Structure formats: structure tokens, C-alpha cells
Amino acid sequence: MKYKDYYKILGVERTANEEQIKKAYRKLARKYHPDVSKEKDAEEKFKEVSEAYEVLKDADKRKAYDTMGSYQPGQDFRPPPDWEQQFRSGGGGGFQDLGDIDLFDLLSGLGRGGFRPGGAGRGGGTFRLRGQDYEVTAHLSVEEAARGTELEIPLPVTDMSEDGQLRRSTKTVKVRIPKGATDGQRLRVPGKGGPGHGGAPDGDLYVNIQLRPHDLFRVSGHDLYLEVPIAPWEAALGAEVQIPTLDGRVSVKVPAASRAGQKLRVRGKGLPRPGGGEGDLYAVLQVVTPSVLSEREKQLYGELQQASSFNPRAHFS
Amino acid sequence: MGSGFHDQALLTEHLEVALEELAQASGLSQHEIVELVEYGVFQPVGASSATAGSVSAWRFSSRTIVLGRQASRLKADFDLSLFALSLVLTYLQRIEEMEGELAELRAQLPR
């Protein structure tokens, strides 16, 4: 079993009182809570912090934790020989079974029938506890979101055997992301979370959908934006240009006297909407000039300059 | 769930859930949800007529589950009262709306 220094995680002394522990937790929760934090790795850090607080705020769990001794974080350790008699309920098992157990899982079992302070008594008692909900993030390409896709999601599972032993394993859940899913949406998969105890239902799985940036398209809701470079003469005279969409190329008409930044809507070529229909694709015109001009091109631009009375900065005067 | 994926659902405004299901999925009690409706954080489908009717008949957009789970986490992790929670959620929703608008505007800008 790997040691975790819960006092160090919360930044408090081992002698800290309840109030100091609560204060330290609140400060770190404010910083790392995934619902309010923009810190990198906030979710992982908050998990550590809340795990430490769960143990240290509970007098029984804290006592059991303290009695294990103090080690280096990550160090393999075994609780002292009398620890099991003092805190493990119901007999059975033994330290040979603790090797693969997570420290927090072991301490979480306290008071739930698997482990408890005080030794003999109510080990294996019945309790009903709904399974844990899982939240995972799935990163999809824009094409996958448009067409729908299937994913196999590995999930860590902590289960408790009838004799109170905690077991960790991995299960794979297959989910289908329907077409029309977009950035920030959640897919709920009932009953695919952690197992319930004592006849309580299993938890649910929530898949947070995130779209990976696309080389060409930018996503806004169910609309797509595509930058379309055009030559100055195409902007001035108008043109018909081929542009890519998620299902092949289409032709769009650039009107004469177009400007940079002008948007041309291609109806129904965005992402499908869950309620039916599709978003639109917007071609955003970008007027680009050749980086190198031939002598002939320079001459023609020069002639245009002489012939034109156009003043793009007329509104400055 | 049988062989298929028929129970899986995207949580969108097109799918509705009952009060009981919202409570079960979010981890909030029905009483807490009713209070958060009173504070204007959650809105039953059909707005004013819904809130005037029987509470047990309320239905919510399934997207409310996402907000409800966030509410449940914040309440537990910060030990918030429901009133304080309603304020936090209002600000978080406002931030989310602004981030959405920012993302839309960014999508329209040249690279």
C-alpha cells in the first residue's frame, strides 16, 4: 500500500485541530474546486485535497490514519501489526490483502461494515449505498461529433466483497455518442457507474464531450466557421469558389465588391442538432495578396492605382 | 440496459426529466430543488404555470441535471447554505454564458 501524507497535502501540522484542518481545506478547495477553478490539474489536485479532508475531518478515520505511522509520500508501507486488530472489523483478510488497496479506500471502509475502529462487532453489516457516479471527458474530432461515434471507456471500479475486502479493478463501458453532440454537452449513461451496495442501484456514468480543435473548421454551437482566402480580384469582381464541408466540397458564390471578414452562409452544412436539423457553415472571407508579385502583376496593379478613384480611408478626413 | 444504448441520452433542452429523476441524478433532495426553484436557479419547463402547479408534476430540461450535480458538489464541498449556493450558481451560470459568447466570437475571428 502506498502512503499518502494527508497533513502535507492540506499543508497543516500533524497536531492541527479541526478548525485548522477545515480552514486549510476551504482555502485549497477554493483554489482547486473543478467547478470554480481554472488552475491546471485542478481536478486531480482537488481530489487529493478532498480525500485528505475526508480522512482528517473524521475523528475515527484520522485516528486510524495516525496509528498507521508516518512515511514518505508514495512509499510502500504496512500498518503496524496491531493496527488491524484495533481497526479492522469482522476478522478475515489480513495484511497480505492490503498490498493492492488504496489507502483512501481502506480508510473509507471505516464505519461501513468493512473496517471500523474498536475491533469486534458489526462487521459485514447491511447498508444500502447507491453506486458512485463517474464523470469522464471524451475528446472527439469534429467529424466524430457530426456523424456520431462509439467509444470504449475504461473505468476504475472499487468494490467490496462480502467479507469487507476492498477490491480495485477496471471495467470497460461501451458508449455511443449520438450525432449532434457538441462541445460541453454531457451524455448520461444510467447504471454504468460504480456498483451499488446492499441492493441499492448502480451509479451513472456521465461523459463530458469536448471537441478537439479542427485544422479548418471552428465550432460555435452547431455552426461551423471556415476561413476562405480569396484573391483581391475575386473580392472585387466576384467569383465562384469551392470550399470544403464535413461532407464534401461545395461551390459558393463570392459576390462582387466583397470585403474581408464578410460571412457567407452555407445553410445546413454545420453540425446536426439533437432536436433535428443542422447548423450552418459560415465561410468567412479573407482577402489575401500574393507575397511575391511578378513584373506584369506590379504593372497591372500600378495601372489600377492610376485608374481608380477608390479611397478606402475617406472616412478619416 | 440490454444489448443497446437506448438508455443513454445527451442532456439537452429537448429531453425532459421529472423532479424525482432530477433529485436522484443530482444528489439533491426534492426539498432542496424546490428551494432552488424558488431562488430562480432551476426553472421547471413551462415556467410560471409550472411553478403554480403541483410540485410533483414539475418537469425540467435534462440539462438541469448538469447544473444540479454542480450544485450538489458545491454544496457538499464548500458546506454552503442553499441561499449562498443559489448566488454562486447564478454567477457561475453567468460566467458560463459569457464564456460561450466569447467562444462564439473567437470562432468568427481570423486565425
Side-chain angles (χ1 to χ4, degrees):
Chain A
M1 186 161 49
K2 304 271 186 212
Y3 187 73
K4 297 177 196 178
D5 192 334
Y6 289 141
Y7 291 101
K8 202 168 181 177
I9 288 169
L10 288 186
V12 295
E13 298 292 329
R14 292 183 80 85
T15 52
N17 60 30
E18 267 179 55
E19 195 51 40
Q20 289 167 320
I21 287 170
K22 189 176 183 179
K23 209 168 174 181
Y25 163 76
R26 284 188 163 180
K27 196 173 162 189
L28 291 168
R30 164 70 193 86
K31 190 173 179 189
Y32 294 122
H33 197 287
D35 288 312
V36 294
S37 175
K38 294 285 176 199
E39 294 273 339
K40 198 175 162 236
D41 303 328
E43 195 164 346
E44 201 51 42
K45 282 182 178 160
F46 181 71
K47 199 176 156 206
E48 279 183 6
V49 168
S50 58
E51 188 177 310
Y53 185 56
E54 276 298 307
V55 172
L56 299 186
K57 76 174 182 185
D58 181 304
D60 290 341
K61 288 178 189 167
R62 186 178 179 185
K63 188 179 171 199
Y65 173 72
D66 287 347
T67 311
M68 285 175 164
S70 177
Y71 309 86
Q72 287 300 311
Q75 186 183 338
D76 271 313
F77 79 106
R78 280 171 173 275
D82 61 343
W83 188 89
E84 188 179 25
Q85 282 73 47
Q86 203 177 345
F87 296 101
R88 173 96 160 83
S89 68
F95 286 158
Q96 69 273 18
D97 300 313
L98 295 182
D100 295 332
I101 288 179
D102 179 84
L103 175 60
F104 182 65
D105 288 344
L106 179 67
L107 294 165
S108 298
L110 287 170
R112 280 193 196 162
F115 294 86
R116 67 171 190 81
R122 59 186 184 195
T126 55
F127 64 96
R128 272 177 63 83
L129 186 66
R130 187 177 172 273
Q132 186 191 350
D133 289 340
Y134 290 130
E135 290 215 18
V136 297
T137 298
H139 297 274
L140 306 184
S141 67
V142 173
E143 286 85 355
E144 285 172 327
R147 290 165 198 150
T149 188
E150 284 185 12
L151 300 173
E152 289 192 347
I153 300 174
L155 297 171
V157 180
T158 304
D159 196 9
M160 195 184 286
S161 65
E162 285 182 3
D163 64 352
Q165 290 292 331
L166 290 159
R167 298 171 301 200
R168 280 206 162 195
S169 57
T170 303
K171 71 171 177 180
T172 303
V173 174
K174 207 169 178 181
V175 299
R176 178 182 294 155
I177 310 286
K179 71 173 188 176
T182 193
D183 216 28
Q185 282 185 329
R186 303 290 199 294
L187 181 81
R188 182 178 174 217
V189 192
K192 293 295 179 186
H197 296 284
D202 294 342
D204 299 334
L205 168 66
Y206 290 86
V207 183
N208 178 15
I209 293 160
Q210 299 279 308
L211 298 189
R212 287 197 294 267
H214 192 279
D215 285 345
L216 293 175
F217 303 110
R218 277 166 291 166
V219 181
S220 172
H222 289 88
D223 294 332
L224 296 175
Y225 286 81
L226 171 71
E227 216 166 284
V228 178
I230 54 172
W233 47 91
E234 288 175 324
L237 304 174
E240 193 159 311
V241 298
Q242 294 273 314
I243 62 165
T245 72
L246 288 176
D247 46 18
R249 298 174 83 83
V250 296
S251 191
V252 294
K253 201 169 180 182
V254 177
S258 290
R259 288 171 302 149
Q262 193 169 329
K263 293 193 278 281
L264 307 177
R265 184 166 75 160
V266 187
R267 201 182 288 268
K269 290 294 180 186
L271 295 172
R273 296 179 191 276
E278 290 86 19
D280 299 324
L281 168 67
Y282 289 91
V284 186
L285 301 180
Q286 296 302 319
V287 181
V288 291
T289 50
S291 50
V292 180
L293 292 174
S294 66
E295 284 307 312
R296 172 75 176 136
E297 284 170 322
K298 280 183 192 168
Q299 185 193 338
L300 289 171
Y301 270 116
E303 283 179 27
L304 180 60
Q305 187 181 22
Q306 295 301 318
S308 176
S309 60
F310 176 55
N311 178 6
R313 295 169 295 280
H315 60 293
F316 285 175
S317 52
Chain B
M1 171 175 307
S3 60
F5 304 91
H6 57 276
D7 284 343
Q8 301 183 13
L10 274 179
L11 303 180
T12 67
E13 65 274 18
H14 303 289
L15 183 71
E16 292 178 10
V17 293
L19 174 66
E20 191 181 350
E21 188 176 358
L22 175 60
Q24 183 263 313
S26 66
L28 295 167
S29 70
Q30 293 191 18
H31 171 78
E32 288 170 332
I33 292 171
V34 170
E35 197 168 332
L36 288 169
V37 167
E38 284 167 8
Y39 290 139
V41 178
F42 299 151
Q43 280 157 351
V45 175
S48 56
S49 60
T51 49
S54 160
V55 166
S56 59
W58 283 359
R59 301 199 53 87
F60 298 83
S61 148
S62 65
R63 285 179 61 175
T64 312
I65 290 179
V66 179
L67 186 61
R69 290 174 56 75
Q70 190 179 35
S72 186
R73 284 192 298 266
L74 288 166
K75 181 177 170 294
D77 296 335
F78 289 107
D79 196 20
L80 295 177
S81 71
L82 285 179
F83 180 65
L85 182 64
S86 72
L87 286 176
V88 172
L89 288 170
T90 302
Y91 283 119
L92 285 176
Q93 278 178 294
R94 205 177 281 178
I95 290 169
E96 198 175 307
E97 280 167 18
M98 286 194 285
E99 284 178 339
E101 283 174 24
L102 194 59
E104 278 180 30
L105 291 170
R106 277 190 180 140
Q108 298 171 39
L109 288 174
R111 287 180 199 239

